[in-house]
Amino acid sequence: MQAKPTLKMQIDDTHERDVELPIPPVARDTKESLKHYSEMIQNDYARFKTDFIQWLLTEGKDTYRREGFSESTVKTTHYKVEEAYRWLWEEEGEFTKELPPHRATELLDQLMRKSPHPDSYVHTFEKCIRRLFKYFREQKNREIVEWEHDIPIEPSRGSDNKEHIKDRFYPEEMNRLYEAALEEYSIKSFWNADPDERQDLKRFVSQQQGIKVGEVGEEHFKKASSWKYPSIIAVSADLGLRPIEVGKMKAGWLNLPQNEINIPTAESTKSNESWSCEISSKSRNALENWMQERQSCSKYDDSDYLWLTKYGNQYNSRSLNKVLDKLMERVDLDEGNRTLSYYSFRHGAASIWTEKEGIARAAEQVRHTNLATTKKYLRSNERSVKNHANDKW
């Protein structure tokens, strides 16, 4: 049996150790493709892939905190990136390690239109390519803009289970995602960091906001710490928000003293009813802090939308799944045989409320007009003696 490749990794710039790579740096099919090129090119590509895998293992998830991905994530990323490069070489007719964003978009478009794979497969491909772009930006200092495309990828679409009820987040997972949002979007203040630490934080902020390190100042530190995403995650877990509902949510619907969000009839999604939904103390705290922070953001001056993207747009499934992907990677959330997406908050909330509070109460909380829809989430006759959102996640 052939031994797995190893390499020397430098840790904290002072200690080295041997690290066993979980996969060969060049896949078998890629080696076949590279036979058309010189040994020097083959050697160069192998060195590049070794460095890429090393980065994934040691700091790919969070460069500032030196957190790497799990072996399973590294393996998936490796094989999808290899597949992308083989496609690129065939399209270009020559070897290159440069994968421009527009080429990556063409690849996704081909996968969506011509491949028998479900959307979840294409969604995984997209995440892996984003990791490659992140590597080029952070490890190689390439000026690669944030990759945007208009391909409508819905991670849950294409599953054999039309209801996707099994693809839910469990209570402990929703809590982990909320805590990850708190950690991901909070850093020390500009003046509380010592000079050396401030430089590291500047690098982190520059990566987060897509600006040059030398341009980072106190105002960028303030933007880096935000209650926006923790509040989005908390309310989504409480109410089982659909992505379109996150985008439509209005600040005027909040009734924080009563721990409620009131959705008027005219704004209700998939129904002609108004809804009064209960929120947990986590959501209330996150929303109170976000509403105070929101007042200082000029893009909300003429808008009643509760949350807007950094470009001033309403959130949708694509923008929310990008946020979710980052948080899932941070907590190494194991999907198992599930296909998880932002809709998994909805399926999780519906399941928990049905199991603990009964069908009628659950239908009101997650805004089902047909009780038959809610019954699909009933897994047991377990009932909770309390009727509070705090017990749910």
Side-chain angles (χ1 to χ4, degrees), residues 164-171 174 344-358 362 366 368 374 376-380 382-383 392:
H164 308 301
I165 293 174
K166 71 174 184 176
D167 299 338
R168 63 167 172 163
F169 285 128
Y170 293 98
M174 290 193 285
S344 299
F345 281 115
R346 181 162 183 78
H347 302 320
S351 297
I352 294 301
W353 279 83
T354 303
E355 292 166 7
K356 289 186 175 292
E357 305 299 346
V366 298
H368 283 156
T374 317
K376 297 173 183 177
Y377 292 91
L378 186 60
R379 286 175 165 74
S380 72
E382 177 188 356
R383 292 293 180 268
K392 306 304 178 288

Side-chain angles (χ1 to χ4, degrees), residues 114-276:
K114 301 179 181 179
S115 130
H117 298 295
D119 279 23
S120 57
Y121 177 87
V122 184
H123 180 58
T124 299
F125 229 109
E126 180 192 40
K127 290 193 291 185
C128 294
I129 293 175
R130 288 192 186 281
R131 292 173 194 141
L132 178 67
F133 288 158
K134 183 180 179 183
Y135 163 79
F136 281 134
R137 281 195 303 267
E138 299 184 4
Q139 193 73 0
K140 300 301 181 182
N141 297 316
R142 302 279 179 82
E143 293 290 336
I144 298 179
V145 297
E146 186 172 352
W147 181 30
E148 296 289 342
H149 62 76
D150 296 321
I151 299 175
I153 304 172
E154 292 291 346
S156 291
R157 191 166 60 205
S159 169
D160 292 334
N161 180 358
K162 293 183 180 180
E163 299 301 328
H164 308 301
I165 293 174
K166 71 174 184 176
D167 299 338
R168 63 167 172 163
F169 285 128
Y170 293 98
E172 66 276 9
E173 293 175 333
M174 290 193 285
N175 189 59
R176 287 168 60 196
L177 290 168
Y178 173 70
E179 292 179 348
L182 290 174
E183 184 177 358
E184 178 72 20
Y185 297 100
S186 63
I187 65 171
K188 285 185 176 181
S189 72
F190 185 82
W191 299 111
N192 285 343
D194 61 51
D196 291 338
E197 188 178 28
R198 189 180 300 160
Q199 191 59 33
D200 288 339
L201 287 172
K202 280 187 173 183
R203 183 184 177 198
F204 172 73
V205 172
S206 72
Q207 294 160 3
Q208 186 189 72
Q209 300 184 21
I211 59 177
K212 295 180 179 179
V213 176
E215 297 175 353
V216 175
E218 185 177 4
E219 69 279 8
H220 299 102
F221 271 62
K222 290 179 180 178
K223 290 180 182 178
S225 294
S226 174
W227 280 95
K228 181 173 73 168
Y229 291 114
S231 65
I232 292 175
I233 297 301
V235 176
S236 296
D238 279 343
L239 275 62
L241 292 181
R242 304 175 178 94
I244 192 174
E245 292 177 319
V246 175
K248 291 170 62 176
M249 189 69 63
K250 302 288 182 62
W253 300 353
L254 304 184
N255 184 1
L256 298 183
Q258 298 299 318
N259 297 313
E260 290 179 347
I261 292 179
N262 300 308
I263 303 174
T265 302
E267 299 284 358
S268 183
T269 302
K270 295 189 177 182
S271 75
N272 295 314
E273 299 182 31
S274 61
W275 304 98
S276 179

